[in-house]
């Protein structure tokens, strides 16, 4: 599957932004999809994931209550709604997907074989 991330931009602290991750292929509904983020010189960190069952979602503690991940399988798209953005949310955001990600791997970059190109999110004060 090929992934295309979009929706990044420059916003002020407290603003909202919605990222999209659109996939090619007709089996998207079988994929676990996640968002990770990375700042220069640091590791790529888990942000959120959504499993095949739309009700099963996972969040990093740092974004819980502010970010919401959702999916529209008919559009082969996963969204990351980011509210109350903070300076610390500034990063390149990557979406990742895999058919075989098990529960213990959901938050681990090694759990995903397919990655999008990344979209920059910059939060200013």
């Amino acid at each position: 599957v090929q992934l295309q991330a979009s929706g990044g931009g420059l916003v002020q602290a407290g603003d909202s932004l919605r990222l999209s991750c659109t996939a090619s292929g007709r089996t998207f509904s079988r994929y676990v999809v996640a968002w990770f983020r990375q700042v220069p010189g640091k590791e790529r960190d888990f942000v959120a994931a959504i499993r095949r069952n739309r009700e099963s979602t996972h969040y990093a503690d740092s974004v819980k209550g502010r970010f919401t991940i959702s999916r529209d399988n008919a559009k082969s798209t996963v969204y990351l709604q980011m509210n109350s953005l903070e300076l610390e949310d500034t990063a390149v955001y990557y979406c990742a997907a895999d058919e075989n990600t098990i529960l213990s791997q959901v938050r681990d970059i090694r759990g995903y074989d397919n990655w999008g190109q990344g979209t920059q999110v910059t939060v200013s004060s």
Side-chain angles (χ1 to χ4, degrees), residues 31-118:
Y31 284 77
V32 177
V33 183
W35 287 95
F36 290 78
R37 64 187 183 187
Q38 189 171 25
V39 297
K42 293 192 175 182
E43 295 182 346
R44 194 168 294 188
D45 292 331
F46 171 77
V47 176
I50 187 165
R51 299 173 69 197
R52 299 169 193 84
N53 175 354
R54 297 183 187 86
E55 296 178 353
S56 182
T57 57
H58 308 262
Y59 295 95
D61 288 342
S62 59
V63 306
K64 200 173 295 184
R66 299 188 299 121
F67 291 10
T68 302
I69 190 169
S70 61
R71 68 190 299 162
D72 184 340
N73 288 332
K75 296 182 178 180
S76 296
T77 300
V78 166
Y79 304 99
L80 184 68
Q81 178 67 43
M82 304 186 296
N83 298 330
S84 302
L85 282 162
E86 302 171 353
L87 299 179
E88 293 74 20
D89 295 319
T90 295
V92 177
Y93 284 70
Y94 297 90
C95 62
D98 203 288
E99 281 187 279
N100 302 309
T101 306
I102 60 177
L103 182 57
S104 63
Q105 296 174 317
V106 164
R107 297 170 182 261
D108 191 338
I109 60 172
R110 294 169 295 183
Y112 302 88
D113 285 340
N114 306 287
W115 291 82
Q117 84 287 5

Coordinates of all heavy atoms in Angstrom, one line a residue, residues 31-118:
Y31 N -6.0 -2.7 7.3 CA -4.7 -2.2 7.8 C -4.9 -1.5 9.2 O -5.9 -0.7 9.4 CB -4.1 -1.2 6.8 CG -3.5 -1.8 5.7 CD1 -4.2 -2.3 4.6 CD2 -2.1 -1.9 5.6 CE1 -3.6 -3.0 3.5 CE2 -1.5 -2.5 4.5 CZ -2.2 -3.1 3.5 OH -1.6 -3.7 2.4
V32 N -4.0 -1.7 10.1 CA -3.8 -0.8 11.2 C -3.1 0.4 10.7 O -2.1 0.3 10.0 CB -3.0 -1.5 12.3 CG1 -2.8 -0.6 13.5 CG2 -3.7 -2.8 12.8
V33 N -3.5 1.6 11.1 CA -2.9 2.8 10.7 C -2.5 3.7 11.9 O -3.3 3.8 12.8 CB -3.8 3.6 9.7 CG1 -3.2 4.9 9.2 CG2 -4.3 2.7 8.6
A34 N -1.3 4.2 11.8 CA -0.8 5.0 12.9 C -0.2 6.3 12.4 O 0.2 6.4 11.3 CB 0.2 4.2 13.7
W35 N -0.1 7.3 13.3 CA 0.6 8.5 13.1 C 1.8 8.5 14.1 O 1.7 8.2 15.3 CB -0.2 9.7 13.4 CG -1.2 10.0 12.3 CD1 -2.5 9.6 12.3 CD2 -1.1 10.7 11.1 NE1 -3.2 10.0 11.2 CE2 -2.3 10.7 10.4 CE3 0.0 11.3 10.5 CZ2 -2.5 11.3 9.1 CZ3 -0.1 11.9 9.3 CH2 -1.4 11.9 8.6
F36 N 3.0 8.9 13.5 CA 4.2 9.1 14.3 C 4.7 10.5 14.0 O 4.3 11.1 13.0 CB 5.3 8.1 14.0 CG 5.0 6.7 14.4 CD1 4.1 5.9 13.7 CD2 5.6 6.1 15.5 CE1 3.8 4.6 14.1 CE2 5.3 4.9 16.0 CZ 4.4 4.1 15.2
R37 N 5.5 11.0 14.9 CA 6.1 12.3 14.6 C 7.6 12.3 15.0 O 8.0 11.6 15.8 CB 5.3 13.4 15.3 CG 5.4 13.4 16.8 CD 4.4 14.4 17.4 NE 4.5 14.5 18.9 CZ 3.7 15.2 19.6 NH1 2.7 16.0 19.0 NH2 3.8 15.2 20.9
Q38 N 8.3 13.2 14.3 CA 9.7 13.3 14.5 C 10.2 14.7 14.4 O 9.8 15.5 13.5 CB 10.4 12.4 13.5 CG 11.9 12.2 13.7 CD 12.5 11.2 12.8 OE1 12.0 10.9 11.7 NE2 13.6 10.5 13.2
V39 N 11.1 15.1 15.3 CA 11.8 16.4 15.3 C 13.2 16.1 15.0 O 13.7 15.0 15.3 CB 11.6 17.2 16.6 CG1 10.2 17.5 16.8 CG2 12.2 16.4 17.8
P40 N 13.9 17.0 14.4 CA 15.3 16.8 14.0 C 16.2 16.3 15.2 O 16.1 16.9 16.3 CB 15.8 18.1 13.5 CG 14.6 18.8 13.0 CD 13.5 18.3 13.9
G41 N 17.0 15.3 15.0 CA 17.9 14.8 16.0 C 17.2 13.9 17.0 O 17.9 13.4 18.0
K42 N 15.9 13.6 16.9 CA 15.3 12.7 17.8 C 14.6 11.6 17.1 O 14.4 11.5 15.9 CB 14.2 13.5 18.6 CG 14.8 14.6 19.5 CD 13.8 15.1 20.5 CE 14.4 16.1 21.5 NZ 13.4 16.6 22.5
E43 N 14.2 10.6 17.9 CA 13.6 9.4 17.4 C 12.2 9.7 16.9 O 11.6 10.7 17.4 CB 13.6 8.3 18.4 CG 14.9 7.8 18.8 CD 14.8 6.6 19.8 OE1 13.8 6.4 20.4 OE2 15.9 6.0 20.0
R44 N 11.6 8.9 16.1 CA 10.3 9.0 15.6 C 9.4 8.5 16.7 O 9.5 7.3 17.1 CB 10.1 8.2 14.3 CG 8.8 8.6 13.6 CD 8.9 8.0 12.2 NE 9.9 8.6 11.4 CZ 10.0 8.4 10.1 NH1 9.2 7.6 9.4 NH2 11.0 9.0 9.4
D45 N 8.4 9.3 17.2 CA 7.6 8.9 18.3 C 6.2 8.6 17.9 O 5.6 9.3 17.0 CB 7.6 10.1 19.4 CG 8.9 10.3 20.0 OD1 9.7 9.3 20.2 OD2 9.2 11.4 20.4
F46 N 5.6 7.7 18.6 CA 4.2 7.3 18.4 C 3.3 8.4 18.8 O 3.5 9.1 19.8 CB 3.9 6.1 19.2 CG 2.4 5.7 19.2 CD1 1.8 5.1 18.1 CD2 1.6 6.0 20.3 CE1 0.5 4.8 18.1 CE2 0.3 5.7 20.3 CZ -0.3 5.0 19.2
V47 N 2.2 8.7 18.0 CA 1.2 9.7 18.3 C -0.1 9.0 18.5 O -0.7 9.2 19.6 CB 1.1 10.7 17.2 CG1 0.0 11.7 17.5 CG2 2.4 11.4 17.0
A48 N -0.6 8.3 17.6 CA -1.9 7.7 17.6 C -2.0 6.6 16.6 O -1.3 6.5 15.6 CB -3.0 8.7 17.4
A49 N -2.9 5.6 16.9 CA -3.2 4.5 16.0 C -4.7 4.1 16.0 O -5.3 4.3 17.1 CB -2.3 3.3 16.3
I50 N -5.1 3.6 14.9 CA -6.5 3.1 14.9 C -6.4 1.7 14.2 O -5.8 1.5 13.2 CB -7.4 4.1 14.1 CG1 -8.8 3.6 14.2 CG2 -6.9 4.3 12.6 CD1 -9.8 4.7 13.7
R51 N -7.1 0.8 14.9 CA -7.1 -0.6 14.4 C -8.2 -0.8 13.4 O -9.0 0.1 13.1 CB -7.1 -1.5 15.6 CG -5.9 -1.3 16.5 CD -5.9 -2.1 17.7 NE -5.8 -3.5 17.5 CZ -6.2 -4.4 18.4 NH1 -6.7 -4.1 19.5 NH2 -6.1 -5.7 18.1
R52 N -8.3 -2.0 12.9 CA -9.3 -2.3 11.9 C -10.7 -1.9 12.4 O -11.5 -1.4 11.7 CB -9.2 -3.8 11.5 CG -7.9 -4.1 10.9 CD -7.7 -5.6 10.8 NE -6.3 -6.0 10.5 CZ -5.4 -6.2 11.4 NH1 -5.7 -6.0 12.7 NH2 -4.2 -6.5 11.1
N53 N -11.0 -2.2 13.7 CA -12.2 -1.9 14.3 C -12.1 -0.4 14.7 O -11.3 0.0 15.5 CB -12.4 -2.7 15.6 CG -13.6 -2.3 16.4 OD1 -14.3 -1.3 16.0 ND2 -13.9 -3.0 17.4
R54 N -12.9 0.5 14.1 CA -12.7 1.9 14.3 C -12.8 2.3 15.8 O -12.4 3.4 16.2 CB -13.8 2.7 13.5 CG -13.7 2.5 12.0 CD -14.8 3.4 11.4 NE -14.8 3.2 10.0 CZ -15.6 2.2 9.4 NH1 -16.3 1.4 10.2 NH2 -15.6 2.1 8.1
E55 N -13.4 1.5 16.6 CA -13.5 1.9 18.0 C -12.3 1.6 18.8 O -12.2 2.0 20.0 CB -14.7 1.1 18.6 CG -16.0 1.5 18.0 CD -17.2 0.7 18.6 OE1 -16.9 -0.3 19.3 OE2 -18.3 1.0 18.2
S56 N -11.3 0.9 18.2 CA -10.1 0.6 18.9 C -9.0 1.6 18.5 O -8.4 1.5 17.4 CB -9.6 -0.8 18.6 OG -8.5 -1.2 19.3
T57 N -8.8 2.6 19.4 CA -7.8 3.6 19.1 C -6.8 3.7 20.3 O -7.0 3.2 21.4 CB -8.4 5.0 19.0 OG1 -9.2 5.3 20.1 CG2 -9.4 5.0 17.7
H58 N -5.6 4.2 20.0 CA -4.5 4.3 20.9 C -3.9 5.7 20.8 O -3.7 6.2 19.7 CB -3.5 3.2 20.7 CG -4.0 1.8 20.6 ND1 -4.0 1.0 21.6 CD2 -4.7 1.2 19.6 CE1 -4.6 -0.2 21.3 NE2 -5.0 -0.1 20.0
Y59 N -3.5 6.2 21.9 CA -2.9 7.6 21.9 C -1.7 7.6 22.8 O -1.6 7.0 23.8 CB -3.9 8.6 22.4 CG -5.1 8.8 21.4 CD1 -6.3 8.1 21.7 CD2 -5.0 9.6 20.3 CE1 -7.4 8.2 20.8 CE2 -6.1 9.8 19.5 CZ -7.3 9.1 19.8 OH -8.4 9.2 18.9
A60 N -0.7 8.5 22.4 CA 0.4 8.8 23.3 C -0.2 9.7 24.4 O -1.1 10.5 24.2 CB 1.4 9.6 22.5
D61 N 0.4 9.6 25.6 CA -0.1 10.4 26.7 C -0.1 11.9 26.4 O -0.9 12.6 26.9 CB 0.7 10.1 28.0 CG 0.4 8.7 28.5 OD1 -0.7 8.1 28.2 OD2 1.2 8.2 29.3
S62 N 0.9 12.3 25.7 CA 1.1 13.7 25.4 C 0.0 14.3 24.5 O -0.1 15.5 24.5 CB 2.5 13.9 24.7 OG 2.5 13.2 23.5
V63 N -0.7 13.5 23.8 CA -1.8 14.0 22.9 C -3.2 13.6 23.4 O -4.2 14.1 22.8 CB -1.5 13.6 21.5 CG1 -0.1 14.0 21.0 CG2 -1.8 12.1 21.3
K64 N -3.3 12.7 24.3 CA -4.6 12.2 24.7 C -5.5 13.4 25.2 O -5.1 14.2 25.9 CB -4.4 11.2 25.9 CG -5.6 10.3 26.1 CD -5.2 9.2 27.1 CE -4.1 8.3 26.6 NZ -3.8 7.2 27.5
G65 N -6.7 13.4 24.7 CA -7.6 14.4 25.0 C -7.6 15.6 24.1 O -8.5 16.5 24.1
R66 N -6.5 15.7 23.3 CA -6.4 16.8 22.3 C -6.5 16.3 20.9 O -7.0 17.0 20.0 CB -5.0 17.5 22.5 CG -4.8 18.1 23.9 CD -3.6 19.0 24.0 NE -2.4 18.2 23.7 CZ -1.5 18.5 22.7 NH1 -1.7 19.5 21.9 NH2 -0.4 17.7 22.6
F67 N -5.9 15.1 20.6 CA -5.9 14.6 19.3 C -7.0 13.5 19.1 O -7.2 12.7 20.1 CB -4.6 14.0 18.9 CG -3.5 15.0 18.7 CD1 -3.6 16.4 19.1 CD2 -2.2 14.6 18.2 CE1 -2.6 17.3 19.0 CE2 -1.2 15.6 18.1 CZ -1.4 16.9 18.4
T68 N -7.5 13.3 18.0 CA -8.5 12.3 17.7 C -8.1 11.6 16.4 O -8.0 12.3 15.3 CB -9.9 12.8 17.7 OG1 -10.2 13.4 18.9 CG2 -10.9 11.6 17.4
I69 N -8.0 10.3 16.4 CA -7.7 9.6 15.1 C -9.0 8.9 14.7 O -9.8 8.4 15.5 CB -6.6 8.6 15.3 CG1 -6.2 8.0 13.9 CG2 -6.9 7.5 16.3 CD1 -4.9 7.2 14.0
S70 N -9.3 8.9 13.4 CA -10.5 8.3 12.9 C -10.2 7.8 11.4 O -9.1 8.2 10.9 CB -11.6 9.3 12.8 OG -11.3 10.4 12.0
R71 N -11.0 7.0 10.9 CA -10.8 6.5 9.6 C -12.1 6.4 8.8 O -13.2 6.2 9.4 CB -10.1 5.1 9.7 CG -11.0 4.0 10.2 CD -10.1 2.7 10.5 NE -9.5 2.2 9.2 CZ -8.5 1.4 9.2 NH1 -8.0 0.9 10.4 NH2 -8.0 1.0 8.1
D72 N -12.0 6.6 7.5 CA -13.1 6.4 6.6 C -12.6 5.4 5.5 O -11.9 5.7 4.6 CB -13.4 7.8 5.9 CG -14.6 7.7 5.0 OD1 -15.0 6.6 4.6 OD2 -15.2 8.7 4.7
N73 N -13.0 4.2 5.7 CA -12.5 3.1 4.9 C -13.0 3.3 3.4 O -12.3 2.9 2.5 CB -12.9 1.7 5.4 CG -12.1 1.4 6.7 OD1 -11.0 1.8 6.8 ND2 -12.7 0.6 7.5
A74 N -14.1 3.9 3.3 CA -14.7 4.1 1.9 C -13.8 5.0 1.1 O -13.7 4.9 -0.1 CB -16.1 4.6 2.0
K75 N -13.1 5.9 1.8 CA -12.2 6.9 1.2 C -10.7 6.5 1.4 O -9.8 7.2 1.0 CB -12.4 8.3 1.8 CG -13.8 8.8 1.5 CD -13.9 10.3 2.1 CE -15.3 10.9 1.7 NZ -15.4 12.2 2.3
S76 N -10.5 5.3 2.0 CA -9.1 4.8 2.3 C -8.3 5.9 2.9 O -7.2 6.2 2.6 CB -8.5 4.4 0.9 OG -9.1 3.3 0.4
T77 N -8.9 6.6 3.9 CA -8.2 7.7 4.5 C -8.4 7.6 6.1 O -9.4 7.2 6.6 CB -8.9 9.0 4.1 OG1 -8.7 9.1 2.6 CG2 -8.2 10.2 4.7
V78 N -7.3 7.9 6.7 CA -7.3 8.1 8.2 C -7.0 9.5 8.5 O -6.1 10.2 7.8 CB -6.2 7.2 8.8 CG1 -5.9 7.6 10.2 CG2 -6.6 5.7 8.7
Y79 N -7.7 10.1 9.5 CA -7.5 11.5 9.8 C -6.9 11.6 11.2 O -7.1 10.7 12.1 CB -8.9 12.2 9.8 CG -9.6 12.1 8.5 CD1 -10.6 11.1 8.3 CD2 -9.3 12.9 7.5 CE1 -11.3 11.1 7.1 CE2 -9.9 12.9 6.3 CZ -10.9 11.9 6.1 OH -11.6 11.8 4.9
L80 N -6.2 12.6 11.4 CA -5.7 13.0 12.8 C -6.2 14.4 13.1 O -5.6 15.4 12.5 CB -4.2 12.9 12.9 CG -3.7 13.1 14.3 CD1 -4.1 12.0 15.3 CD2 -2.1 13.2 14.3
Q81 N -7.2 14.6 13.8 CA -7.7 15.9 14.2 C -6.9 16.3 15.4 O -6.9 15.7 16.5 CB -9.2 15.8 14.6 CG -9.7 17.1 15.1 CD -9.8 18.2 14.0 OE1 -10.1 17.9 12.8 NE2 -9.4 19.4 14.3
M82 N -6.2 17.4 15.3 CA -5.3 17.9 16.4 C -5.9 19.3 16.9 O -5.9 20.3 16.1 CB -3.9 18.1 15.8 CG -3.3 16.9 15.2 SD -1.6 17.0 14.7 CE -1.7 18.3 13.4
N83 N -6.3 19.3 18.1 CA -6.8 20.5 18.7 C -5.9 21.0 19.8 O -5.0 20.2 20.3 CB -8.2 20.2 19.3 CG -9.2 19.8 18.3 OD1 -9.2 20.2 17.1 ND2 -10.2 18.9 18.7
S84 N -6.1 22.2 20.2 CA -5.3 22.8 21.3 C -3.8 22.5 21.1 O -3.1 22.1 22.0 CB -5.7 22.2 22.7 OG -7.1 22.5 22.9
L85 N -3.3 22.8 19.9 CA -1.9 22.5 19.6 C -1.0 23.3 20.4 O -1.2 24.5 20.8 CB -1.7 22.8 18.1 CG -2.2 21.8 17.1 CD1 -2.4 22.3 15.7 CD2 -1.3 20.5 17.2
E86 N 0.1 22.7 20.8 CA 1.1 23.3 21.6 C 2.5 23.3 20.8 O 2.6 22.7 19.8 CB 1.3 22.4 22.9 CG 0.1 22.2 23.7 CD 0.2 21.1 24.8 OE1 1.3 20.5 24.8 OE2 -0.7 21.0 25.6
L87 N 3.3 24.2 21.3 CA 4.6 24.3 20.7 C 5.3 23.0 20.5 O 6.0 22.7 19.5 CB 5.5 25.3 21.4 CG 5.0 26.7 21.6 CD1 6.0 27.5 22.4 CD2 4.8 27.4 20.3
E88 N 5.2 22.1 21.5 CA 5.8 20.9 21.5 C 5.3 19.9 20.5 O 5.8 18.8 20.3 CB 5.7 20.2 22.9 CG 6.5 20.9 24.0 CD 5.8 22.2 24.5 OE1 4.6 22.4 24.2 OE2 6.5 23.1 25.1
D89 N 4.2 20.2 19.8 CA 3.6 19.4 18.8 C 4.3 19.6 17.4 O 4.0 18.9 16.5 CB 2.1 19.7 18.6 CG 1.3 19.3 19.9 OD1 1.6 18.2 20.4 OD2 0.4 20.0 20.3
T90 N 5.2 20.6 17.4 CA 5.9 20.9 16.1 C 6.8 19.7 15.8 O 7.6 19.2 16.6 CB 6.8 22.1 16.3 OG1 6.0 23.3 16.5 CG2 7.7 22.3 15.1
A91 N 6.6 19.2 14.6 CA 7.3 18.0 14.1 C 6.9 17.7 12.7 O 5.9 18.3 12.2 CB 7.0 16.8 15.0
V92 N 7.6 16.7 12.1 CA 7.1 16.1 10.9 C 6.3 14.9 11.2 O 6.7 14.1 12.0 CB 8.3 15.7 10.0 CG1 7.7 15.0 8.7 CG2 9.1 16.9 9.6
Y93 N 5.1 14.9 10.7 CA 4.1 13.8 11.1 C 4.1 12.8 9.9 O 3.9 13.2 8.8 CB 2.7 14.4 11.3 CG 2.6 15.1 12.6 CD1 3.3 16.3 12.9 CD2 1.9 14.5 13.7 CE1 3.2 16.9 14.1 CE2 1.8 15.1 14.9 CZ 2.5 16.3 15.1 OH 2.4 16.9 16.4
Y94 N 4.3 11.5 10.3 CA 4.2 10.4 9.3 C 3.1 9.5 9.6 O 2.8 9.2 10.8 CB 5.5 9.6 9.4 CG 6.8 10.4 9.1 CD1 7.5 11.1 10.1 CD2 7.3 10.4 7.8 CE1 8.6 11.8 9.8 CE2 8.4 11.1 7.5 CZ 9.1 11.8 8.5 OH 10.3 12.5 8.2
C95 N 2.4 9.0 8.6 CA 1.5 8.0 8.8 C 2.1 6.7 8.3 O 3.0 6.6 7.5 CB 0.2 8.2 8.0 SG 0.3 8.4 6.2
A96 N 1.6 5.6 9.0 CA 2.2 4.3 8.7 C 1.0 3.3 8.8 O 0.0 3.5 9.5 CB 3.2 3.9 9.8
A97 N 1.2 2.2 8.0 CA 0.1 1.2 8.0 C 0.7 -0.2 7.8 O 1.8 -0.4 7.2 CB -0.8 1.5 6.8
D98 N 0.0 -1.1 8.3 CA 0.4 -2.5 8.1 C -0.8 -3.4 8.4 O -1.6 -3.2 9.3 CB 1.5 -2.9 9.1 CG 2.3 -4.0 8.7 OD1 1.8 -5.2 8.7 OD2 3.5 -3.8 8.2
E99 N -0.9 -4.5 7.7 CA -2.0 -5.5 7.8 C -1.7 -6.4 9.0 O -2.7 -7.0 9.6 CB -2.1 -6.4 6.6 CG -2.8 -5.8 5.4 CD -3.0 -6.8 4.3 OE1 -2.0 -7.0 3.6 OE2 -4.1 -7.4 4.3
N100 N -0.5 -6.5 9.4 CA -0.1 -7.6 10.4 C 0.3 -7.1 11.8 O 0.8 -7.8 12.6 CB 1.0 -8.4 9.8 CG 0.6 -9.1 8.5 OD1 -0.4 -9.7 8.4 ND2 1.4 -8.9 7.5
T101 N 0.1 -5.8 12.0 CA 0.5 -5.2 13.3 C -0.4 -5.8 14.4 O -1.6 -5.7 14.4 CB 0.3 -3.7 13.3 OG1 0.9 -3.1 12.1 CG2 0.8 -3.1 14.5
I102 N 0.3 -6.4 15.4 CA -0.4 -7.0 16.5 C -0.5 -5.9 17.6 O 0.2 -4.9 17.6 CB 0.3 -8.2 17.0 CG1 1.7 -8.0 17.5 CG2 0.2 -9.3 15.9 CD1 2.4 -9.2 18.1
L103 N -1.3 -6.2 18.6 CA -1.6 -5.2 19.6 C -0.3 -4.7 20.3 O -0.1 -3.5 20.5 CB -2.5 -5.8 20.7 CG -3.0 -4.8 21.8 CD1 -3.6 -3.6 21.2 CD2 -3.9 -5.5 22.8
S104 N 0.6 -5.6 20.6 CA 1.8 -5.2 21.3 C 2.8 -4.3 20.4 O 3.7 -3.7 20.9 CB 2.6 -6.4 21.7 OG 3.0 -7.2 20.6
Q105 N 2.5 -4.2 19.1 CA 3.3 -3.5 18.2 C 2.7 -2.1 17.8 O 3.3 -1.4 17.0 CB 3.6 -4.3 16.9 CG 4.4 -5.5 17.2 CD 4.5 -6.4 15.9 OE1 3.5 -6.5 15.2 NE2 5.7 -6.9 15.6
V106 N 1.5 -1.9 18.2 CA 0.8 -0.7 17.7 C 1.6 0.6 17.9 O 1.5 1.5 17.1 CB -0.6 -0.6 18.4 CG1 -1.2 0.8 18.2 CG2 -1.5 -1.7 17.8
R107 N 2.3 0.7 19.0 CA 3.0 2.0 19.3 C 4.5 1.9 18.9 O 5.2 2.9 19.2 CB 2.9 2.2 20.8 CG 1.5 2.4 21.4 CD 1.5 2.4 22.9 NE 0.1 2.6 23.4 CZ -0.4 3.7 23.8 NH1 0.4 4.8 23.8 NH2 -1.6 3.8 24.2
D108 N 4.9 0.9 18.2 CA 6.3 0.7 17.8 C 6.5 0.9 16.3 O 5.7 0.3 15.5 CB 6.6 -0.7 18.2 CG 8.1 -1.0 18.1 OD1 8.8 -0.3 17.4 OD2 8.6 -1.9 18.8
I109 N 7.5 1.7 15.9 CA 7.7 1.9 14.5 C 8.0 0.6 13.8 O 7.7 0.5 12.6 CB 8.8 2.9 14.3 CG1 10.2 2.4 14.9 CG2 8.5 4.3 14.8 CD1 11.3 3.3 14.5
R110 N 8.5 -0.4 14.5 CA 8.8 -1.7 13.9 C 7.6 -2.5 13.5 O 7.6 -3.5 12.9 CB 9.7 -2.5 14.8 CG 11.1 -1.9 15.0 CD 11.9 -2.5 16.1 NE 11.3 -2.3 17.4 CZ 11.8 -2.8 18.5 NH1 12.9 -3.5 18.5 NH2 11.1 -2.5 19.7
G111 N 6.4 -2.0 14.0 CA 5.2 -2.7 13.7 C 4.6 -2.3 12.3 O 3.5 -2.9 12.0
Y112 N 5.3 -1.5 11.6 CA 4.7 -1.0 10.3 C 5.7 -1.1 9.2 O 6.8 -0.6 9.3 CB 4.2 0.5 10.5 CG 3.2 0.6 11.6 CD1 3.6 0.9 12.9 CD2 1.9 0.5 11.4 CE1 2.7 1.0 14.0 CE2 0.9 0.7 12.4 CZ 1.4 0.9 13.7 OH 0.4 1.0 14.7
D113 N 5.3 -1.6 8.1 CA 6.1 -1.7 6.9 C 5.9 -0.6 5.9 O 6.7 -0.4 5.0 CB 5.9 -3.1 6.2 CG 6.6 -4.2 7.0 OD1 7.5 -3.9 7.8 OD2 6.2 -5.4 6.8
N114 N 4.8 0.0 6.0 CA 4.4 1.0 4.9 C 4.3 2.4 5.6 O 3.7 2.6 6.6 CB 3.1 0.7 4.3 CG 3.0 -0.7 3.8 OD1 3.6 -1.0 2.8 ND2 2.3 -1.6 4.5
W115 N 5.0 3.4 4.9 CA 5.1 4.7 5.5 C 4.9 5.8 4.4 O 5.2 5.6 3.3 CB 6.5 5.0 6.1 CG 6.8 4.2 7.3 CD1 7.2 2.9 7.4 CD2 6.7 4.6 8.6 NE1 7.3 2.5 8.7 CE2 7.0 3.5 9.5 CE3 6.3 5.8 9.2 CZ2 7.0 3.6 10.9 CZ3 6.3 5.9 10.6 CH2 6.6 4.8 11.4
G116 N 4.2 6.8 4.9 CA 4.0 8.0 4.0 C 5.2 8.9 4.0 O 6.2 8.6 4.8
Q117 N 5.2 10.0 3.3 CA 6.3 10.8 3.1 C 6.5 11.9 4.2 O 7.5 12.5 4.3 CB 6.3 11.6 1.8 CG 5.5 12.8 1.8 CD 4.0 12.6 1.8 OE1 3.5 11.5 2.0 NE2 3.2 13.7 1.7
G118 N 5.5 12.1 5.1 CA 5.6 13.0 6.1 C 5.0 14.4 5.7 O 5.1 14.8 4.6

